[in-house]
Amino acid sequence: NAKNEEAGVSEGKKGEMEDKIVVYSPHGKDILAKYEKQFEAKYGVDVEWLDMGSQEILDRVRSEKNNPQADVWWGAPSTNFNQASAEGLLAAYKPTYSDHLDEGFHDPEWYWTGTSQTPEVIMYNSKELSKEEVPQDWNELLDPKWKDEIIIRYPLASGTMRTIFSAMIYRTYKDTKDPKDGYEWLKKLDQNTKEYSANPELMYNKIAKGEGSLSVWAMPDVVMLKENKKYPFEFVIPESGTPVLTEGIAIVEGAKHPKAAEAFYEFVNTKEAAKNLAEEFYRIPTRSDVPDLPEWITSTEIKAMDIDWNVFQEKGDEWMKHWDENIKSGDKEIKE
Amino acid sequence: MASIKMENVQKAFGKTIAVDHLNLDIKEGEFFTFLGPSGCGKTTTLRMIAGFYYPTKGIVRFSDKDMTRVPPEKRNTGMVFQNYALFPHMTVFENVAFGLRVRKIRSSELKRRVQDALQKVRLESYRNRQVSQLSGGQQQRVALARALVIEPEILLLDEPLSNLDAKLRDEMRVEILRLQRDYKITTIYVTHDQAEALSMSDRIAVFNYGICHQVGTPAEIYNQPANDFVASFIGEINLLPVQVKSVEHENMVVALENGEQQITIDVPKQAGEGDSILRTDKDLAVAIRPEAIRILDVAEDGINIFKGKIDSVQFFGSVVNVIVDVQNVSIRVDVLNTQEVGYYYQGKDVYVELPPNQLRLIPVISGDAP
Amino acid sequence: MASIKMENVQKAFGKTIAVDHLNLDIKEGEFFTFLGPSGCGKTTTLRMIAGFYYPTKGIVRFSDKDMTRVPPEKRNTGMVFQNYALFPHMTVFENVAFGLRVRKIRSSELKRRVQDALQKVRLESYRNRQVSQLSGGQQQRVALARALVIEPEILLLDEPLSNLDAKLRDEMRVEILRLQRDYKITTIYVTHDQAEALSMSDRIAVFNYGICHQVGTPAEIYNQPANDFVASFIGEINLLPVQVKSVEHENMVVALENGEQQITIDVPKQAGEGDSILRTDKDLAVAIRPEAIRILDVAEDGINIFKGKIDSVQFFGSVVNVIVDVQNVSIRVDVLNTQEVGYYYQGKDVYVELPPNQLRLIPVISGDAP
Amino acid sequence: MIKNRDTRLTIWLLLPVVLVLAAYVLYPSMRTFIESLQKDGSISLGNYQDFFVQESKTNLEALWNSVYISGLSVLVSAMIGIPLAFIFNRYDFPGRSFFSSAAILPIVLPSLVGVMAFLFLYGESGLIPNVIKDLFGLEQVPFKIGGLSGILIVHAYTMYVYFYMTVSAAIHKIDPSLEEAAYNLGAGKFKVFWQVTFPLLTPAIVAASLLVFMISMASFSAPFLLAGGYRVLSLQIYFSKINGDMEIAATQSVILSIVSISFLLFMRWYQNRKDYRIASKGIGSHRSEVKSPLMKWAMAVTGIIGVIILLLPHFTILLLSLVPDGTWTFQTYPTVFNIENYRLLFEDPNIFKPLRNSLLMAVIATLANLVFGVITSYVLVKRKFVGKSMIDILVMIPWALPATVIGMNLIFAFNEPSVFSFGQILVGSFWILPLAYFIRHIPLVVRSTNAVLEQLDDSIEEAARNLGAKWFYTFRKVLLPIIMPGVLAGTLLAFIESVGEFPTSVLLYTISNRPISIEIMNQLRMFNMGQAAAYGMVQITLIVIVLFISNRFFGIKAEKAL
Ligand SMILES: Nc1ncnc2c1ncn2[C@@H]1O[C@H](COP(=O)(O)OP(=O)(O)OP(=O)(O)O)[C@@H](O)[C@H]1O
Ligand SMILES: Nc1ncnc2c1ncn2[C@@H]1O[C@H](COP(=O)(O)OP(=O)(O)OP(=O)(O)O)[C@@H](O)[C@H]1O
Ligand SMILES: [Mg+2]
Ligand SMILES: [Mg+2]
């Protein structure tokens, strides 16, 4: 019946739809090009997209506030969307599949809805380390034996890393309301960290070539690298639980092509689309009604950390700023 | 052809006054020269005539028309710049044709006139050369042709020869005179070379520190300088500071400042001139050209004959320059380089005669310079 | 002080031979001048002496020591460049001190010597100025002081006056001579100005197209030029192509090429010279300086007196230049600007006398130039 | 009443110059400044206070690091650029003219891939260290770059060109007789160099130092990629902006600008303190005689090695573009080579769009630069008016400001309608990028035009007017043709830099004008190193073709631009 529903939507609105739609998305050329083609074939609406980092999208949507260029923002951690909706950058839209989304997978006011989940994991170079040696939980990363083995993406510009670091603080913060222990933890991690890489590509490269052997990163990316790009990577899901990010989609406030935007919004999160994304692009769907998911999703047991994302949004900047200014050892890179 | 009149012209650059109280009256077809040392305002005056500067005060007229504020492109003057200012990206032909193109002359006539001008400066065969491939003298001729081809009413030449060597200068001088006579253009020539000025000009204006000291024919300027600056700037001259002793009808007697010699001077025939100079509050000097002085081996009878000793003899080619010391006053005497020259040698005792009719009493203004 | 000897020196740049077959012998303390038109190899020769070029062939000796390949900084010559080449980033004092600093002279002595040199060129009060704040003449004196302060054995001056105006040139000339005499340094002076060369030098070498045509004292060069190039390059001269008619003991008779006039020439006293010139395969010409010719109003008795008509009169200051046409041969006569000058005017019939003892028969080589 | 025609003309010419500078340089900067004064909704200096008294001192640290890196970059670039300029301009050896052109190749390196190429070359797992390690059987790689040293090396590599170009030009202008005078006074080679030649190069060195300092202050790609944790001000601005702290970003921008402009003023003062004008009166200069043949060949060999080192990053990009993605991950050396990346690239129907965009925008911006540069420079050099030095400084400001700041300025100024944008919102439109390129390259074109105009004798213009030509005719038919070659050299350089521009592009691009550099960045973001490199190769080829054509058919040499 979902199929009919969707068909109804499309047929009903086809006539009034604008002839163009602009999508901002960090999903990259492969995904975007594919959905562009399908959407254009189906609706005859010209899809244009810009791919850039989610943080950059937020930044850009902000600077284009007076003259919005984008219609749809597809893909970013929910924290980014929360921030954007707080600044009035998003338009509310309740999609047809809203019933199939669990509580945490959408904005209460429907400013965004989730499309996929991203658990954060410990990633390692499978040529350098065996499955047994690898730390099984966050705290094991602090073991001095990993000194100078850990290479981390520079967290300030990375939603993934911000989430992980915030989660590390949040673990104790939620009880004590004091980030001190978390800061302590991060300080120790910093001592084991060899380098903060400017972009993911550099981090992959360094870990693949053995300059370091451990990192923390998002699971779908690790799987994708391993399967598609033949990197010698494996991952471990921390035993004590891991933050699971929700990636979402939203319509930009003041969008110039609102009808087409809604169509696209629906289109990329149909059951088929979700399944396809899971199979081809290693994304774990948020919809609870997607059948026949690939084996790596069903067999992996993820223990999600219980997180109040509002706290993340509220405190995140402050925590990261503190990390940046007080924890990160500035001479890390100058040492060599 | 046009006459040029400058009426009480002044030009100031900020606080420096480059030209002041200038009154000039240049006749049609005249070859007029501005002469003076570096920085005396020659170029400034020329540029006011060309229209590159506007006078601070005063009026510039061409044939009685007020041109003071007319822009340069409307003045129809032809100018040859000191460095020629040829357009480096054009050939000789194009350079010369430029002024005609601006005037929208028909192509066939343009060709004819350029050809004609190039012929006049004897450069027909160079017409398609780039100007950078010409020698200095040839470049100058292109500059001349370029200025002449537009048939200007006035030709302005700003030290056009100062970059050339002596030999080439001589040739170019003849060339310029020939062309000026051919075209019969009112011409103003700027130079600091007095030989050039004397040999070429109809009339000369001598400048110093922005002031025009004298205007006159070469012979007037040379033989009757208005003051010691003009006298010493034009050619060599002996200037002896003196005090007037007595004035009679036909001559006067002056004393050198060392007080020992007395010199007799013929009073110029023009009535009153002798008087006016006596009424000036300036110091006075007796001036005599070195070539006007005679050297005598033995004392002769006559006036103004003084005993002296030869201090040095310098050989300048056609002229030999003998410095005679007359009781600590150095007197320069020029004699032609003929057979007798060998007779003069350092230390020889001689007599010098200063003919009274060649002596002139002039005011000394050198101390007055700003 | 040192003597300089150049033995069969040649310098080629690629295919152009700038200097060839050069033999010079410059004595200690001499003021020696290289004279010649632009591009004749003067600078090249000077630079070989300074060590900036190495000769392609031949040997350069200073006081009999072979210096041919010694680098410039080891030659102890002082050079004044045409453009002065003052260091723009240093003050006057620092410029002059440079050579001493290089020699590691103690500071107190250095000060004394620089002070001394600046005094000699009369620039003490300018010591702390930047060189760009000096006038051309002052800059030249700095350049001189800089070259002199190191007490070089040889002083080299490459057209040091060519950028100055006539007045300043005269002053600087005197200055240079005074300093050369003071310091008693062997000096080589490069110029293309013949008046300069004649008035300053002990000896002169005249160059053209890389060849040295004559070496001699100014009087020798002027009065006994080796050929028509030297004759016409040094001062004005009348050159009349002739054919020898008859040779006697004390004089010979030649005919002008128009065949009408016959001229009698005293044979020089030096034995054989008259002969050698007759044996050359070159064309011959009679040379006479314009100042040696006399103008007569009426025919007088005597030899070499010809009738003619005044073609033009040009006023050059101390000298008046009269062109007399003698049956289509132009003869230039210089007379001093004295009272009588007014007597000469265009079209006047006159007689010219060419004194036989002032006439010289010389070979014509002008056609030989490469 | 305006006194005369000339003054009137000056005013007419000045008008557009002042307008453009006010609208696109001054106004955006002022907007940023005003933004920096906003704190919690009121106007105050609070942001500046925070900057300096902040407890952790990160901002001060970043400021210090920026200045420190910029200072070092100046030193290192000078140490490479000056000797190279000497070798190529003072000595004649086989292949000299080829090498002297090759020496400017670093400017055709695309910024992002270029930096990546450096990592692949000299990083810990880079080719060179590993080749050396394997050749000599070492335990460890002998050296690697990263962090500070990485930034420095990349800066030195890309910025020595400025020293090379300015010093080369200055060497040509030095009258050789000055050096000869020093030899003649007994100074040896060493002394002559240090006491005469080198001081005379001061203006050129000052100019180049200024450039390198300002560009290093503003440098983005290198610290961004090479030193994730090393704090420099240009990155701080970027992160503040990303974090949403616009006021802080503006404050940091203003402070960075103040440092750069102070340095600019300091250098001007220093240069004007002494007189370096060579009072030569036009004596033909001659090359010193060539010494031993051994020397000659040593020079040639040094030249060849130098050029190989210069070209290594370009070769690395070529190499990367030939290695299919996924075959060079953990392996030390790549094993598979094919043109898969190019195939993938050219399969994309949209491949040529960024290329076309970049070219189109570069052409628009450069044309504007050409027109504006010539007029501005003419007014500055040949006309007299009050406030000249003010205009002079305004012209230089786009160099004193980091590209990121220029981008920010434009966002602040033009994300709402203003008179200067004819009532349009420029942010998000096609025109914002050409405008940004135009602004960034104002100083470049004006400077190179100044250089030719200053050499042009005033009397040329006067001669034309004397012959009856009006000002505009004179300008068109006489001045322009004479100065064009010099002007075009500067314009060519501006064009090349526009084609590869990254830091402002990343802030301002939109769908309709996405340029090459952004395309490359996105390939990188999607881990398609190979395709990014292939794209980089396309960009390099494009620029080289432009260079070649302009050199070959129009005789314009970009290396003569400064
Ligand atoms: N544009 C100007 N601005 C300021 N002062 C000027 C300007 N042009 C000339 N002067 C000053 O005016 C005076 C006269 O200058 P001018 O150029 O007329 O001299 P000149 O007689 O042509 O000298 P020279 O023989 O050196 O060319 C000089 O003191 C000069 O410094
Ligand atoms: N470095 C060089 N390379 C090639 N040819 C040269 C070089 N230097 C001089 N020449 C040539 O050698 C000849 C003599 O030049 P030189 O400079 O000695 O002339 P000059 O007598 O000093 O002339 P001027 O009076 O013009 O200075 C000229 O034909 C010149 O072109
Ligand atoms: Mg002048
Ligand atoms: Mg010379």
Side-chain angles (χ1 to χ4, degrees), chain B residues 75-88:
Chain B
R75 295 200 179 199
N76 201 23
T77 62
M79 180 143 172
V80 177
F81 291 79
Q82 180 162 1
N83 56 353
Y84 313 147
L86 297 180
F87 306 130

Side-chain angles (χ1 to χ4, degrees), chain D residues 98-115:
Chain D
F98 168 75
F99 295 137
S100 65
S101 295
I104 65 155
L105 280 175
I107 60 171
V108 310
L109 198 67
S111 58
L112 279 178
V113 214
V115 178

Side-chain angles (χ1 to χ4, degrees), chain D residues 144-186:
Chain D
K144 62 185 178 188
I145 64 163
L148 182 64
S149 65
I151 300 176
L152 269 183
I153 286 180
V154 174
H155 280 187
Y157 175 80
T158 47
M159 295 179 197
Y160 90 86
V161 180
Y162 296 107
F163 275 94
Y164 175 75
M165 293 203 288
T166 49
V167 173
S168 294
I171 288 176
H172 278 291
K173 281 187 211 137
I174 290 186
D175 183 343
S177 62
L178 285 176
E179 287 170 28
E180 288 176 356
Y183 283 121
N184 182 260
L185 291 168

Side-chain angles (χ1 to χ4, degrees), chain D residues 516-538:
Chain D
I516 299 180
S517 55
I518 299 301
E519 187 65 25
I520 293 178
M521 184 190 73
N522 286 332
Q523 295 283 8
L524 280 180
R525 226 170 40 76
M526 298 319 294
F527 329 128
N528 299 328
M529 190 62 215
Q531 283 179 58
Y535 218 111
M537 279 317 291
V538 173

Side-chain angles (χ1 to χ4, degrees), chain C residues 59-70:
Chain C
I59 296 173
V60 177
R61 289 183 203 280
F62 290 179
S63 303
D64 295 327
K65 225 168 78 211
D66 183 347
M67 302 295 273
T68 318
R69 311 235 142 229
V70 175

